[in-house]
Amino acid sequence: MHKHLFNLKFAAKELQRNSKKCDKEEKIEKAKVKKAIQKGNMEVARIHAENAIRQKNQSVNFLRMSARVDAVAARVQTAVTMNQVTKSMAGVVKGMDATLKTMNLEKISALMDKFEHQFETLDVQTAQMEDTMSSSTTLTTPQNQVDSLLHEMADEAGLDLNMELPQGQTGSVQGTSVASAEQDELSQRLAKLRDQM
């Protein structure tokens, strides 16, 4: 299972590298578009513009696939962790059976503390997995930011896109403060667990 997890994480990183490579190619093509426009060669500019758009689409596709693979890796990580916790809990239960037979209160208390610690660890790992899943699946970009970037690139190239943007839309991404609060809470829980160990 660990081998599969490693392969998934490696694949996600490789997809991210490919996305960055496409981003670089897109910038090169955009520069070629500007040069062609400045020289007045609109047909060559159009070809480079198509190449830039293709590179951008490939970059987005690589990034989207990377996010999906990363989400699967997070699920596999959860399964591995749950398996480890289950084995630990099974060991604790066996120890509890033996200890209850001897009725040594100190041993019982120590085992109960360890058992509670395992549950706290499970809670933190589950919360982290849920946080990872929610952050990896919220990859939407506000449309007005996309339109703004298109206009910016057109202005740099000296072109007029003649696009009608919907009025009254704002590009604020909601939920970031909630996500950061959840991240802070998760960090605090992890710090407490480390202190207990």
Side-chain angles (χ1 to χ4, degrees):
M1 199 69 149
H2 287 287
K3 182 181 177 185
H4 295 301
L5 181 61
F6 174 79
N7 288 339
L8 285 171
K9 288 182 178 180
F10 182 77
K13 292 288 184 193
E14 187 68 27
L15 288 166
Q16 287 175 356
R17 277 194 292 274
N18 288 338
S19 175
K20 288 178 184 175
K21 184 178 175 184
C22 287
D23 285 340
K24 288 179 184 175
E25 291 294 325
E26 178 193 5
K27 288 176 185 174
I28 291 170
E29 291 295 330
K30 283 180 180 179
K32 289 179 181 178
V33 169
K34 288 180 190 176
K35 284 182 184 177
I37 289 173
Q38 290 167 352
K39 290 180 181 177
N41 194 344
M42 293 308 290
E43 190 160 335
V44 172
R46 179 174 293 280
I47 291 169
H48 288 301
E50 288 171 359
N51 288 342
I53 290 169
R54 184 170 43 257
Q55 291 294 339
K56 181 178 181 83
N57 289 339
Q58 281 183 321
S59 173
V60 170
N61 287 338
F62 280 134
L63 205 56
R64 186 176 290 128
M65 192 61 169
S66 172
R68 287 180 179 169
V69 171
D70 211 24
V72 171
R75 288 182 180 152
V76 171
Q77 177 69 55
T78 301
V80 168
T81 303
M82 293 290 265
N83 189 26
Q84 290 171 346
V85 170
T86 302
K87 286 179 182 177
S88 296
M89 287 168 48
V92 170
V93 169
K94 285 179 185 175
M96 284 175 64
D97 285 343
T99 304
L100 286 172
K101 288 177 185 173
T102 63
M103 289 303 288
N104 185 335
L105 293 179
E106 289 178 11
K107 284 185 179 179
I108 292 173
S109 177
L111 281 172
M112 292 305 290
D113 289 344
K114 186 174 179 183
F115 193 71
E116 287 174 13
H117 177 71
Q118 291 288 341
F119 267 102
E120 287 175 7
T121 303
L122 178 62
D123 286 343
V124 170
Q125 289 171 341
T126 302
Q128 184 169 3
M129 185 274 301
E130 289 171 357
D131 184 51
T132 302
M133 291 302 294
S134 66
S135 66
S136 69
T137 54
T138 55
L139 296 173
T140 57
T141 304
Q143 187 62 38
N144 64 332
Q145 289 181 2
V146 174
D147 294 337
S148 173
L149 179 61
L150 288 173
H151 279 289
E152 181 183 327
M153 290 309 302
D155 289 343
E156 285 181 21
L159 298 174
D160 184 17
L161 288 180
N162 293 326
M163 291 174 56
E164 289 292 324
L165 293 177
Q167 298 298 318
Q169 288 189 352
T170 59
S172 63
V173 178
Q174 303 213 356
T176 54
S177 61
V178 174
S180 64
E182 289 176 357
Q183 189 66 31
D184 290 342
E185 182 183 333
L186 186 61
S187 297
Q188 290 173 354
R189 289 171 110 184
L190 283 170
K192 279 184 182 177
L193 277 175
R194 284 188 199 113
D195 291 343
Q196 290 175 356
M197 296 174 129

